[in-house]
Amino acid sequence: LAAGAPLSPAVLAAAERAATPHGHAIEVRLTAEDPSVDFLPTPGTLRRWVMPSGPGVRVDTGLADGDRIPSEYDNLIAKIMAHGADRDAALDRMGRALDEVRIAGIQTTLPFHRWVVRDPAFRVGDVSTEWVADHWDGAGQRGLVAERAAGVAGLAVLDGVMAGAEGSIGPSRRREIP
């Protein structure tokens, strides 16, 4: 283009496809901050680092177990993206992805993001620049999110135990846990 040459047919076709939306995507910017204390930065060393995976989920990060999050630099530690057929599907997928995240050693914005994707006002798009200040009460909400995450983790463990015991109780007696 800078030389005055036209775009190739392949590039024009790709641009046409890209111009037509296909589904909905949402991104979470996971940071080393404490959402219960006005998002205060929380540098430290990662003791456990497990990021989500699966269809429609992408994680951009450069961190691993044992890495240090310094106070001298940006505290962005990962970008987690989810894609779905529509907003609800993308938010459901993001919620599942956030429930898979395991981090220890530092406080992050994970509890805040788990709460946001499940908030009814956020889900319908009833948001503004004051939305966080109007809806998030810090420590109180963080506690509720932590309780829910512990419940989800417990159900996942129980489901894994049941799946492992499937041979002994038979597949017909296994039931799904909501």
Side-chain angles (χ1 to χ4, degrees):
L1 288 175
L7 293 174
S8 71
V11 170
L12 290 172
E16 183 65 32
R17 285 190 309 275
T20 305
H22 296 285
H24 188 92
I26 188 164
E27 176 181 292
V28 162
R29 297 177 64 84
L30 192 60
T31 59
E33 297 176 335
D34 189 341
S36 67
V37 188
D38 293 326
F39 297 89
L40 183 72
T42 56
T45 301
L46 292 171
R47 300 290 178 218
R48 185 161 190 218
W49 182 253
V50 178
M51 289 289 104
S53 62
V57 175
R58 174 181 164 168
V59 177
D60 288 349
T61 189
L63 298 176
D65 282 333
D67 284 352
R68 183 177 162 273
I69 309 301
S71 60
E72 302 85 16
Y73 300 103
D74 182 6
N75 58 6
L76 176 66
I77 57 176
K79 291 188 285 184
I80 303 171
M81 293 143 281
H83 181 268
D86 55 27
R87 181 176 173 84
D88 282 335
L91 286 168
D92 289 345
R93 184 165 279 160
M94 179 60 79
R96 178 200 50 82
L98 293 173
D99 286 343
E100 289 180 10
V101 173
R102 298 291 178 261
I103 300 173
I106 62 167
Q107 177 59 53
T108 71
T109 52
L110 182 60
F112 171 74
H113 295 303
R114 285 177 173 160
W115 171 79
V116 168
V117 299
R118 289 174 174 88
D119 182 79
F122 183 83
R123 289 191 69 93
V124 299
D126 184 17
V127 296
S128 71
T129 57
E130 298 297 317
W131 187 82
V132 172
D134 291 344
H135 289 81
W136 175 256
D137 75 355
Q141 292 291 5
R142 181 174 167 223
L144 293 173
V145 171
E147 287 176 22
R148 183 190 180 286
V152 167
L155 289 175
V157 168
L158 180 58
D159 192 42
V161 168
M162 290 180 71
E166 209 168 35
S168 62
I169 62 172
S172 63
R173 295 189 51 199
R174 183 172 185 244
R175 64 184 193 101
E176 293 300 313
I177 299 173

